[in-house]
Amino acid sequence: MKDIFDECQFNDLKLNTRIIRTGAWERETEDGGYLTSAVFDRYEKMASSGVGLILSEMFTFDHKDRFFDYSANMNYKGFVKDYKQLTDICHNFNVPILGQLAFFYYDDGDNQQAEPNDLTIEGIRKLQAEVIMAAKKFSFAGFDGIQINMGNNFYLSKFTNPYFNQRTDDYGGNTLNRMRIVLEIIKLIKKTIGFHVSCRINIEDVRKGGLTQDESMKMAKLLAENGADSIQITGRTISMKYDAKEKHVFQDYADKLSQEVDIPVILAGNLRDMKTMNDILNSSHVEFMSLSKPFVAQADFLADWKKNGEGTSRCKGCNNCYSKKESRCFQYND
């Protein structure tokens, strides 16, 4: 029987458990980005409690980005010092950590909100260079890799989506062309830095003329074939057109994808109790699961789960932490 607390291999990373924490917003900073003691305390609680891998809060590299004020900052003077201390905390408990890069707008130098169709080849090269420089910064700060968030409604989700991308050059049209901007980034990161590259992708678009499940499956396979080390699946919107009463909304897709690619696939979204997670592990090919809001409600809840052999997150699923873009819980303060 598989268990969420199994030690396992996650491509090139060794994990103490199958549980992955996904970060969202970061509001507990001061003076333009410097981390407060609350952030270090949060990470120590998570790393010591039984998490296998940590995906950081979202970083964006442009101060004009839509979500910059609610995201982690990688452009202040103390970034490397602060985050080296934070990644050291994780590594002291043998927990790897990836820096999550997620940007909504892109400034190509001429347009602060350049659309995918408007980017020149020079603009594409500028974007790729900035992502690679972000990965380099993560490596300086001790991160074990980068997660490129090309899911939800972030910029790269639009670039790779046939609804938005109407380009007629090598970066538009078929699946490979729309994915080319990301595939080239992955290859350069692997060649120049050589650490773990994870990608978050949407399962589908729920939009006429947008991304379908067949299309996203092709995208995932291209990622795996071109050097990505892991894939996390998500959705553009919570109003998915599935009946999620009997099983997890993404479970069938994650099960199928896990059999189609030879890299780890992370199932994410609305996982709240240990029994459900273990049931998924033992009834499908899913090997890894991600939680976000439960860690906001209680950073060290996994310690209790492991001790008791069972457990349910106290997170009520109110979604206030996400919708109000806070890194704290509105129900609990400890």
Side-chain angles (χ1 to χ4, degrees):
M1 293 284 287
K2 293 184 289 186
D3 187 85
I4 59 173
F5 290 107
D6 291 339
E7 292 185 1
C8 52
Q9 200 67 29
F10 187 79
N11 208 327
D12 55 329
L13 302 174
K14 184 177 180 181
L15 307 190
N16 295 325
T17 71
R18 300 178 185 274
I19 307 165
I20 295 164
R21 177 269 190 169
T22 298
W25 314 116
E26 182 57 86
R27 298 292 292 275
E28 295 180 304
T29 59
E30 57 188 9
D31 299 330
Y34 286 90
L35 303 184
T36 66
S37 60
V39 179
F40 295 114
D41 289 346
R42 183 201 317 152
Y43 270 81
E44 184 163 9
K45 286 179 178 178
M46 289 191 297
S48 64
S49 69
V51 70
L53 170 70
I54 291 177
L55 301 176
S56 77
E57 280 72 29
M58 292 182 284
F59 285 91
T60 183
F61 41 54
D62 187 348
H63 69 278
K64 298 181 292 294
D65 195 273
R66 176 179 177 181
F67 298 125
F68 182 82
D69 291 339
Y70 319 110
S71 302
N73 185 353
M74 62 191 311
N75 295 319
Y76 68 101
K77 291 182 179 179
F79 168 77
V80 171
K81 180 177 181 294
D82 271 3
Y83 278 92
K84 185 63 171 65
Q85 183 178 343
L86 186 145
T87 57
D88 282 348
I89 289 172
C90 298
H91 294 154
N92 285 341
F93 294 97
N94 297 315
V95 175
I97 176 172
L98 309 183
Q100 180 192 165
L101 184 66
F103 53 99
F104 192 85
Y105 296 134
Y106 184 65
D107 182 353
D108 66 355
D110 296 319
N111 186 343
Q112 292 183 3
Q113 298 181 21
E115 295 294 335
N117 295 330
D118 299 331
L119 285 186
T120 63
I121 296 300
E122 290 74 17
I124 288 174
R125 296 290 176 260
K126 180 176 181 290
L127 185 154
Q128 291 174 319
E130 291 191 34
V131 175
I132 293 163
M133 285 304 299
K136 195 68 175 177
K137 277 191 174 183
F138 286 146
S139 71
F140 290 153
F143 287 88
D144 299 282
I146 183 173
Q147 182 179 74
I148 301 171
N149 192 332
M150 47 185 289
N152 308 117
N153 287 300
F154 290 104
Y155 192 84
L156 289 174
S157 74
K158 293 191 292 184
F159 203 105
T160 55
N161 190 319
Y163 180 88
F164 294 101
N165 186 333
Q166 301 297 318
R167 300 177 68 97
T168 57
D169 60 5
D170 288 344
Y171 292 89
N174 62 36
T175 309
L176 175 61
N177 281 359
R178 284 182 280 107
M179 287 290 290
R180 191 182 305 278
I181 187 171
V182 176
L183 302 181
E184 290 175 344
I185 289 171
I186 293 171
K187 289 179 179 178
L188 282 169
I189 291 176
K190 299 300 292 186
K191 180 179 180 179
T192 59
I193 306 173
F195 66 176
H196 192 102
V197 178
S198 181
C199 294
R200 191 187 306 189
I201 65 171
N202 291 332
I203 179 175
E204 65 175 301
D205 199 30
V206 197
R207 178 191 279 123
K208 186 177 181 180
L211 189 69
T212 65
Q213 287 195 30
D214 287 343
E215 181 79 356
S216 66
M217 194 72 66
K218 292 178 185 177
M219 291 165 57
K221 291 178 182 178
L222 283 170
L223 290 170
E225 292 166 1
N226 286 272
D229 295 293
S230 62
I231 295 172
Q232 182 179 23
I233 59 173
T234 186
R236 182 184 70 86
T237 171
I238 60 174
S239 59
M240 302 295 290
K241 55 180 181 181
Y242 304 107
D243 182 354
K245 295 178 181 179
E246 297 299 323
K247 63 173 63 176
H248 189 283
V249 65
F250 300 146
Q251 183 177 337
D252 287 343
Y253 182 95
D255 188 16
K256 181 180 179 181
L257 180 59
S258 296
Q259 299 174 72
E260 296 285 336
V261 298
D262 59 359
I263 61 175
V265 174
I266 307 166
L267 176 65
N270 295 321
L271 295 164
R272 295 284 186 272
D273 68 278
M274 185 172 172
K275 181 181 184 303
T276 297
M277 294 168 72
N278 275 332
D279 286 347
I280 292 172
L281 279 176
N282 289 287
S283 63
S284 72
H285 292 83
V286 173
E287 299 280 349
F288 304 96
M289 281 174 277
S290 166
L291 298 87
S292 180
K293 299 179 187 72
F295 284 101
V296 179
Q298 183 183 354
D300 57 358
F301 72 94
L302 289 175
D304 293 333
W305 286 20
K306 190 172 184 179
K307 179 181 177 181
N308 299 330
E310 61 180 5
T312 300
S313 170
R314 69 183 186 181
C315 174
K316 298 182 182 300
C318 67
N319 209 42
N320 278 330
C321 61
Y322 191 84
S323 62
K324 296 181 184 301
K325 300 178 179 58
E326 290 282 355
S327 46
R328 63 183 178 88
C329 181
F330 286 79
Q331 299 286 335
Y332 306 100
N333 295 315
D334 59 331

